[in-house]
Amino acid sequence: MAPPAWLALTQATGDARYLAHADSEFWATTGYLSDPAEHLFYRDSRFFEQRDAGGRRIFWGRGNGWVFAGLARILTELPADHPNRARYESLFKQMAARLAGLQGRNGYWPVSLLAPQEFPETSGTGFFVYGLAWGVNHGLLPARPYRSSVERGWRALVKAVRPDGKLGWVQRIGAAPDQVSADDTQLYGTGAFLLAASEVSRMP
């Protein structure tokens, strides 16, 4: 979440140290928390050896949503000639491919990405729809097959908006995958929804 703000500080002040700090810390964190085989991120070191009841590794949906949406924001702010730009783009594409394959038939992503989907969850889904749509709109991802994933995800998000205008099925504040209900809503879920809308509306 923080690297795009550091990059924006470099743009605002002209001081390259903010960008250098963001870049250094991002790759240190990626080296520590990413699973290179799964192209996904652990929430923290507690999950390195944890498994769910089915013996699957635990990759939190919304946690990976923060990473994926954050990558889109980093690439928006990162200079085109930055020496690590290709590295960011490669990570973004790897995550996109993995995430597209984990989307449920109903358009949502599971709260725990490798587990069967038991119920909708809209905060992770909103971040993933935003990132995938951003990638298509900026030429990093081909329209096929990602447009289909974006459209299914967007329809799912719209379906989760309640009659009173609130977005439902947002996992509550936590530090791991958890239960979600139709009445659960949080501001960060609405923010992810609006981010998704900002890019979906730009798709040709």
Side-chain angles (χ1 to χ4, degrees):
M1 293 181 282
W6 290 110
L7 270 64
L9 276 170
T10 284
Q11 289 190 349
T13 66
D15 189 336
R17 289 178 296 177
Y18 296 115
L19 190 159
H21 173 75
D23 183 57
S24 173
E25 292 302 301
F26 180 90
W27 291 112
T29 303
T30 295
Y32 186 58
L33 293 179
S34 67
D35 185 306
E38 293 288 354
H39 301 301
L40 298 171
F41 282 72
Y42 294 101
R43 197 273 179 185
D44 56 59
S45 60
R46 296 173 302 149
F47 293 93
F48 290 167
E49 303 302 327
Q50 282 192 40
R51 300 293 184 269
D52 66 15
R56 293 171 290 259
R57 294 178 179 180
I58 301 171
F59 295 102
W60 188 19
R62 183 164 72 237
N64 278 271
W66 287 119
V67 175
F68 191 57
L71 276 167
R73 300 298 302 157
I74 288 170
L75 287 165
T76 298
E77 303 289 344
L78 194 69
D81 60 352
H82 190 276
N84 273 338
R85 186 172 184 90
R87 194 178 177 194
Y88 285 104
E89 291 181 356
S90 177
L91 178 60
F92 179 83
K93 292 175 183 178
Q94 290 169 359
M95 284 196 76
R98 186 69 173 114
L99 291 168
L102 295 172
Q103 187 178 21
R105 292 182 179 180
N106 59 4
Y108 301 100
W109 275 264
V111 291
S112 185
L113 290 172
L114 303 187
Q117 189 167 61
E118 301 177 49
F119 37 76
E121 204 290 307
T122 54
S123 61
T125 295
F127 286 130
F128 296 142
V129 170
Y130 162 70
L132 293 173
W134 184 93
V136 171
N137 288 342
H138 289 80
L140 283 182
L141 301 176
R144 290 185 180 183
Y146 292 104
R147 185 183 183 96
S148 173
S149 184
V150 169
E151 290 174 346
R152 289 190 293 120
W154 178 247
R155 287 194 297 268
L157 289 170
V158 171
K159 186 177 179 180
V161 177
R162 303 183 329 194
D164 63 2
K166 293 182 179 179
L167 179 68
W169 296 106
V170 180
Q171 185 190 329
R172 288 168 288 181
I173 295 170
D178 204 350
Q179 296 292 312
V180 189
S181 77
D183 293 328
D184 288 335
T185 188
Q186 296 285 343
L187 292 176
Y188 51 76
T190 303
F193 180 94
L194 294 174
L195 277 175
S198 72
E199 287 297 329
V200 170
S201 66
R202 296 187 181 104
M203 296 185 77

